[in-house]
Amino acid sequence: FRFFYRTILRHAQQLYGQDYLDVAYWICSFAVNQHEPVIGDLNNSPFNLALSSESCERLVFVMDLEELPLKRMWCLYELVRALEEGMPVDF
């Protein structure tokens, strides 16, 4: 968790400078039950709703040494949706 926290903190500081404390991040592993599959229309999934929100400016991937996010279906779905929306993606 420490690595994750430091990565997000560094990202906010680099992107927003002194205003980094005013930045909000939606973290799907905290906001969505990861053990309960989303059933139904993907357009109404929490992942899509968050990415479609007007306040969502970019997608940030926190990569580990195994590049696990690129092996998870929902992470890849988020990546595709962000690219479809023309949203910047940071790795």
Side-chain angles (χ1 to χ4, degrees):
F1 182 77
R2 187 177 298 159
F3 172 78
F4 178 82
Y5 168 77
R6 287 181 181 165
T7 301
I8 294 296
L9 179 64
R10 187 172 45 250
H11 181 267
Q13 290 171 331
Q14 289 174 351
L15 221 57
Y16 300 98
Q18 292 180 340
D19 295 330
Y20 75 96
L21 291 176
D22 296 328
V23 177
Y25 285 80
W26 185 82
I27 302 169
C28 68
S29 59
F30 295 162
V32 176
N33 184 343
Q34 301 293 300
H35 303 288
E36 207 172 286
V38 175
I39 299 173
D41 183 12
L42 289 177
N43 290 325
N44 293 320
S45 71
F47 307 99
N48 193 54
L49 295 175
L51 289 169
S52 301
S53 168
E54 287 185 25
S55 62
C56 187
E57 298 176 9
R58 61 191 334 108
L59 178 65
V60 180
F61 274 87
V62 178
M63 302 299 285
D64 59 7
L65 294 175
E66 297 175 21
E67 297 180 340
L68 186 60
L70 297 178
K71 298 174 184 174
R72 298 186 69 211
M73 181 184 74
W74 287 115
C75 294
L76 294 174
Y77 174 76
E78 292 170 348
L79 176 60
V80 168
R81 287 296 300 129
L83 294 174
E84 287 177 346
E85 294 288 329
M87 186 179 299
V89 178
D90 300 329
F91 288 91

